[in-house]
Amino acid sequence: NAGVTQTPKFRVLKTGQSMTLLCAQDMNHEYMYWYRQDPGMGLRLIHYSVGEGTTAKGEVPDGYNVSRLKKQNFLLGLESAAPSQTSVYFCASSYSQLGRDTQYFGPGTRLTVL
Amino acid sequence: AQTVTQSQPEMSVQEAETVTLSCTYDTSENNYYLFWYKQPPSRQMILVIRQEAYKQQNATENRFSVNFQKAAKSFSLKISDSQLGDTAMYFCAFNAGGTSYGKLTFGQGTILTVHP
């Protein structure tokens, strides 16, 4: 039972490079989320999706784009990476937006931008 | 907008003792959920316990229990009989339910160290 998986687990980029983080879930969840974790700030929401083909901005969306072409996948893109985007990125999914439905997290991706 | 505050950056406890982690929040919502997540060194986020605001009874999960004070907007986590495996970062989180599309708002986290 894979749950939520993230690819890659680690990545180092140079300023200005681009990359895509892949999140996949096998639980048939409608809702998917991308968070970033920075020291002393907890996790903050970047973008989210309430279903296939739909995306919306979260708390800190600048510099990121997302796509949800398939229900099981949620991609996070960095078009021109900046050192401020050095962080640990978590993907999560849930069956609904209701708090009684657990939000499951992936193992995270540690990204360093030099 | 909701905010979640954890005022204890670090805590430590001896094995088998009890420790309480604090969390306060601010919201204008009436129905919502509160959570405690555990993040061990492996980085995996693990749900420890959840509390629905409409339920007056405090949630418990084995050695973990909460003290939910809705009027004071306080949500503390008590860990009894602490074990070495409880060493982790603990995050308090808030979900406003349908109005927020399930988004979680997290506190800053508390690093808990359990000493043998």
Side-chain angles (χ1 to χ4, degrees):
Chain A
N1 187 4
V4 180
T5 58
Q6 292 182 230
T7 307
K9 289 186 169 51
F10 303 93
R11 186 72 185 269
V12 178
L13 289 179
K14 294 181 179 178
T15 297
Q17 287 185 320
S18 64
M19 78 162 294
T20 300
L21 282 68
L22 171 63
C23 175
Q25 52 93 6
D26 62 1
M27 296 174 282
N28 202 35
H29 286 169
E30 290 290 341
Y31 290 73
M32 297 188 75
Y33 310 87
W34 276 107
Y35 296 90
R36 61 177 287 174
Q37 181 180 9
D38 301 295
M41 302 186 73
L43 279 74
R44 293 179 293 167
L45 184 68
I46 306 171
H47 285 281
Y48 64 99
S49 169
V50 301
E52 181 179 323
T54 70
T55 63
K57 294 180 180 179
E59 183 185 356
V60 288
D62 293 344
Y64 305 95
N65 56 74
V66 288
S67 65
R68 183 108 181 259
L69 299 179
K70 294 182 179 181
K71 185 177 183 179
Q72 64 268 33
N73 295 337
F74 194 28
L75 279 63
L76 177 70
L78 286 73
E79 290 185 348
S80 180
S84 61
Q85 294 177 303
T86 293
S87 187
V88 179
Y89 292 85
F90 286 95
C91 176
S93 73
S94 62
Y95 179 73
S96 77
Q97 76 274 31
L98 300 176
R100 63 171 179 260
D101 290 322
T102 300
Q103 197 163 124
Y104 294 90
F105 284 80
T109 295
R110 181 175 292 279
L111 175 65
T112 302
V113 183
L114 302 175
Chain B
Q2 291 81 22
T3 60
V4 178
T5 302
Q6 293 177 248
S7 58
Q8 305 156 314
E10 295 186 40
M11 295 279 286
S12 64
V13 65
Q14 292 296 126
E15 198 174 6
E17 293 187 347
T18 296
V19 65
T20 299
L21 308 183
S22 301
C23 173
T24 58
Y25 60 94
D26 190 25
T27 184
S28 58
E29 300 285 341
N30 196 36
N31 191 22
Y32 48 87
Y33 283 80
L34 293 161
F35 307 84
W36 280 98
Y37 276 87
K38 170 185 177 182
Q39 186 181 44
S42 67
R43 218 167 56 196
Q44 181 69 51
M45 295 288 286
I46 302 165
L47 178 64
V48 174
I49 198 165
R50 105 181 75 208
Q51 173 81 41
E52 185 177 3
Y54 266 129
K55 292 186 177 179
Q56 292 189 347
Q57 185 174 4
N58 289 323
T60 62
E61 289 286 344
N62 301 314
R63 298 183 294 108
F64 299 88
S65 61
V66 299
N67 183 4
F68 173 49
Q69 302 289 330
K70 190 174 184 179
K73 295 181 179 174
S74 170
F75 182 61
S76 61
L77 174 70
K78 185 171 82 170
I79 305 175
S80 304
D81 185 25
S82 297
Q83 301 176 359
L84 297 178
D86 295 334
T87 292
M89 173 87 84
Y90 287 82
F91 290 99
C92 178
F94 175 99
N95 176 331
T99 62
S100 69
Y101 299 103
K103 295 175 288 185
L104 291 174
T105 300
F106 286 86
Q108 302 90 330
T110 297
I111 299 172
L112 175 67
T113 303
V114 180
H115 297 285

